[in-house]
Amino acid sequence: MKVNIPKYMQLFRCLSNLRKMSKSLTYDAEQIFEVSVNSVLPHQMVKRSLLVDGNRLVVDGCSYSINHNVHMVGFGKAVIGMAAAVEEILEEHLVQGVVSVPFGIQESFRASGRR
């Protein structure tokens, strides 16, 4: 026996399914956006580009001998995150460094809760 479902009930079910799909798509889009943005953050980009293996620094496939002899120089808006990543990666091999950022950028980072 075939049950006749009123048209408005069919429409209601379709809309309900669309809402569920929409929530799922929205969640997926947010996740894709977050992963995409995080992958191009300066800190993450540097961490993917530098590797320390004992007394060897590998940068994009090129290897350099290091032994507490690395000096860092950086400048620009993104240098704060990059310098932090370099410090984490090089640890005791980093002797000293200097970074220059645009006026006011440090305060902007502090205000936004970033370091």
Side-chain angles (χ1 to χ4, degrees):
M1 176 174 158
K2 186 177 178 185
V3 177
N4 282 332
I5 300 173
K7 293 281 185 198
Y8 68 88
M9 288 299 293
Q10 291 175 351
L11 181 61
F12 177 77
R13 286 183 181 167
C14 285
L15 288 174
S16 179
N17 287 338
L18 281 175
R19 281 191 196 114
K20 288 176 189 172
M21 242 174 52
S22 177
K23 285 181 182 178
S24 175
L25 289 173
T26 299
Y27 175 81
D28 290 345
E30 288 171 349
Q31 294 301 305
I32 291 167
F33 177 78
E34 185 175 332
V35 167
S36 300
V37 168
N38 287 336
S39 72
V40 295
L41 290 174
H43 188 268
Q44 296 301 325
M45 291 176 71
V46 168
K47 287 182 96 166
R48 282 192 308 272
S49 298
L50 301 179
L51 171 70
V52 172
D53 183 17
N55 283 345
R56 304 295 301 165
L57 171 63
V58 181
V59 183
D60 291 331
C62 296
S63 182
Y64 304 92
S65 179
I66 57 174
N67 187 18
H68 310 285
N69 60 346
V70 180
H71 297 261
M72 175 177 50
V73 176
F75 54 91
K77 293 183 287 188
V79 76
I80 293 174
M82 291 178 173
V86 168
E87 282 183 303
E88 287 175 23
I89 295 164
L90 293 175
E91 296 176 341
E92 73 275 358
H93 293 290
L94 184 62
V95 177
Q96 71 183 127
V98 61
V99 295
S100 174
V101 296
F103 182 78
I105 198 80
Q106 254 183 318
E107 190 54 42
S108 297
F109 273 93
R110 280 192 200 108
S112 69
R114 294 182 279 178
R115 56 182 208 160

